[in-house]
Amino acid sequence: MANVSDFVIDRIQQWGVTRVFGFPGDGIGEFDGALGRAERKGEGLKYVRPTHEEICALMATAHAKFTGEVGVCIATSSPGAFHMLNGLYDAQMDNQPVVAFVGQQGLNSLGTFNQQESNLERVFADVACYVQTIVSPEQAQAVVDTAFRTARTRLAPAVVILPHDVQSMKMEEPGREQWVSRSSAVAPSTSITPPDAEIKKAAAILNAGKKVVVMVGHGANGATDEVLKVAELTGAGIITALRGKQVVPSDVPYHAQQLGLLGSRPSLEMMKDCDTLLLLGTNYPYGQFLPKTGQARAIQVDLKPEQMGLRYPTELNLWGDVKATLEALIPHLDAKTDLAWQEGVSKGMVEWEQEMTAQAETEYEKLNPRLVFHELNKRLPPQAIVTCDAGTTADWYGHHIRLRRGMMGDLSGRLATMLAAMPYATAAKFAYPERPVICTIGDGAFQMLGMNELITIKKYMNTWANPQFIIMVLHNDDLEQVSWEMRTEDGNPLWDGSQDVETVDYAGYAELLGFKGIRLKKGDDVGAAWDAAFAYRGVTLIDAYVSKNVPPIPAHISLEYAMNTAKALLKGDPEEGNVIVDSAKALVTEGVSRVKGALHIGQGDKEND
């Protein structure tokens, strides 16, 4: 006779889930046993067990991002459940549907301060859009269904808590009694379209605009053709948020890539000059790079109404799915005949790409990290998936990686999670085992959750149709992004006590696990290293010994940025000499106008410098 655990596993499958990411423990023991029974019968879920509960939640979030499905993770009671919080916050802040199943001590222990009995509902109350403990078999159906339905519609994580004794209770079919709910495993439609009157208002605003910008986020996934059609009709330039990079192919000439510290100069210039702004599925957080208040008429399209009109005072907010909304909007748009604005963006991008190539080819005492990404970009195979962490790899990913149609790329949008690059890459490989996956990661992040996840890769790689998996570690023995943030944001010099990363032979560690290791130290060898990695049908780790002093110079060098860096150097930055030399090289490479902008710090922060 089926018990509650058997029922929950079957119900998860009814919701279309085929793979879960879990870590066992006694608090979830009977549920784990049921997973094993189902697997032996050939009726189970594909169970992936990485090396830590935190990774389970990060991989579930990544699965949701790469597939559009609900990600599922499983862990025991505290402290295992606590470990999942970071990954669930990743799902919450990046608007991803994830359902977590966590164990709990028996019902009679609740509120008695028993060993490992914690108030899990309170713990998860902030991160989850729905959190509920199953206390009886009759309740299980409604709780599981509500968790999946709520996660999908609210684009957030939900948590189901399973007390140990409830897991093994005989399953009961919900009856018609009062207080008993009977539910269905039917996903609600999210193809929401705003009213026709609102669609026509949006069209009128866009038709009136002469300098239109379309800013695209991850929420526009699946709407590539519709986004391009809107840009074609309105004569718009396109900017993608970092997590929206894969939505718009890089070969669209008026796609100016990203905005802000990781963005391009053409994207910055568009925001300064535009008169109309269309925000599609993005909660871009850096308001300092958006137009001045009142400069542009703005429209936002999103499934998260609480995030609309939040970063810029929009004139019209359309609560809807991006693809469905644009399909309704396109017939009402007039085709622009004057494409000077769009052509200007295209010309600016030609110049920007030349600048990025020059930056990559600039020689430093140690290997230029930009060159490593530049050469990778030239060799990205069709259908490639690229991930990065939140260190300077995110800068170089934004500046140099150009995803063509069919390619995918992602990272933690919180940009505070250095942890996500390897869990994301591994989850992507499980979702698309036939596709090449490239993880770009700093040595600090690699020491956090990267080195242990090589063990997960070793465990599962033989199950992948194409075992090719490439990890490129930026090896500079420094938490480089934080070092630059200390200088540019707070005017503090590098502090070795917090910033030093103990050096490790990462290629040697990969070889210890039976993988191919490549040690990369010279610029002349970069192309050959990537060629060797892409020619190898297996796991390759490129250990790239790069300079830690190449500055992640933004498209606009503000007065604050320049002054804080100067203050940091004056306070005795241990890398002062190298920072000055390498920053000077970078600025000279960027051209005379940018150097003037950086040096005119005594004349105010001119917007166009």
Side-chain angles (χ1 to χ4, degrees), residues 110-429:
L110 299 183
T112 67
F113 313 105
N114 211 325
Q115 183 182 22
Q116 295 186 341
E117 184 270 315
S118 303
N119 191 332
L120 294 179
E121 289 194 1
R122 183 181 298 171
V123 168
F124 289 107
D126 181 64
V127 71
C129 62
Y130 176 81
V131 53
Q132 188 61 54
T133 301
I134 296 178
V135 298
S136 72
E138 292 86 353
Q139 184 205 18
Q141 182 187 89
V143 170
V144 173
D145 290 343
T146 304
F148 275 94
R149 190 176 297 112
T150 307
R152 183 177 288 278
T153 53
R154 297 192 182 179
L155 299 175
V159 177
V160 175
I161 301 168
L162 286 165
H164 192 272
D165 50 353
V166 174
Q167 296 169 31
S168 59
M169 288 181 181
K170 177 183 174 182
M171 186 58 195
E172 299 288 346
E173 183 72 22
R176 296 177 59 198
E177 294 84 3
Q178 187 177 1
W179 304 326
V180 176
S181 294
R182 293 169 289 167
S183 61
S184 64
V186 177
S189 172
T190 55
S191 296
I192 301 170
T193 306
D196 189 57
E198 298 294 287
I199 293 289
K200 290 178 179 177
K201 286 181 184 178
I205 294 171
L206 292 169
N207 288 335
K210 298 184 183 302
K211 299 178 179 179
V212 180
V213 172
V214 179
M215 187 162 189
V216 181
H218 189 271
N221 258 341
T224 297
D225 292 336
E226 290 75 17
V227 170
L228 295 179
K229 188 62 177 180
V230 168
E232 175 191 333
L233 292 170
T234 61
I238 301 175
I239 298 170
T240 47
L242 198 59
R243 291 201 53 243
K245 197 177 182 78
Q246 66 181 20
V247 179
V248 180
S250 61
D251 56 3
V252 174
Y254 42 86
H255 174 195
Q257 296 291 319
Q258 284 69 68
L259 175 70
L261 295 176
L262 314 181
S264 71
R265 190 165 179 81
S267 67
L268 182 69
E269 291 172 343
M270 271 200 284
M271 282 299 187
K272 288 180 178 179
D273 297 334
C274 70
D275 60 20
T276 309
L277 176 62
L278 177 60
L279 300 163
L280 299 175
T282 178
N283 186 30
Y284 181 78
Y286 305 106
Q288 67 268 38
F289 298 107
L290 296 176
K292 292 180 179 179
T293 299
Q295 171 192 319
R297 303 179 71 184
I299 305 165
Q300 188 164 358
V301 181
D302 211 292
L303 282 171
K304 300 280 284 188
E306 68 273 23
Q307 295 180 1
M308 292 195 289
L310 188 61
R311 307 301 179 196
Y312 187 81
T314 47
E315 180 176 337
L316 183 62
N317 291 320
L318 300 178
W319 184 19
D321 169 69
V322 171
K323 181 179 178 68
T325 301
L326 295 187
E327 285 176 341
L329 175 66
I330 286 169
H332 300 284
L333 295 177
D334 300 330
K336 292 281 195 306
T337 56
D338 183 357
L339 299 180
W341 167 255
Q342 195 177 72
E343 291 167 354
V345 176
S346 300
K347 179 181 177 182
M349 277 307 293
V350 171
E351 296 170 354
W352 178 257
E353 296 292 26
Q354 292 171 347
E355 186 174 313
M356 289 299 94
T357 298
Q359 285 281 4
E361 293 175 349
T362 300
E363 295 184 0
Y364 298 94
E365 183 178 352
K366 290 188 175 180
L367 179 62
N368 184 348
R370 287 181 176 270
L371 181 63
V372 180
F373 279 77
H374 180 73
E375 292 296 325
L376 164 61
N377 185 63
K378 292 197 295 188
R379 293 166 170 80
L380 282 177
Q383 303 295 303
I385 302 175
V386 186
T387 69
C388 70
D389 66 58
T392 51
T393 56
D395 293 89
W396 317 138
Y397 172 83
H399 282 170
H400 296 281
I401 296 300
R402 302 291 180 256
L403 301 176
R404 301 185 300 278
R405 188 182 282 268
M407 295 181 179
M408 303 176 78
D410 218 323
L411 74 164
S412 172
R414 288 190 285 161
L415 282 185
T417 304
M418 294 175 63
L419 312 169
M422 276 292 283
Y424 274 35
T426 310
K429 192 65 176 178

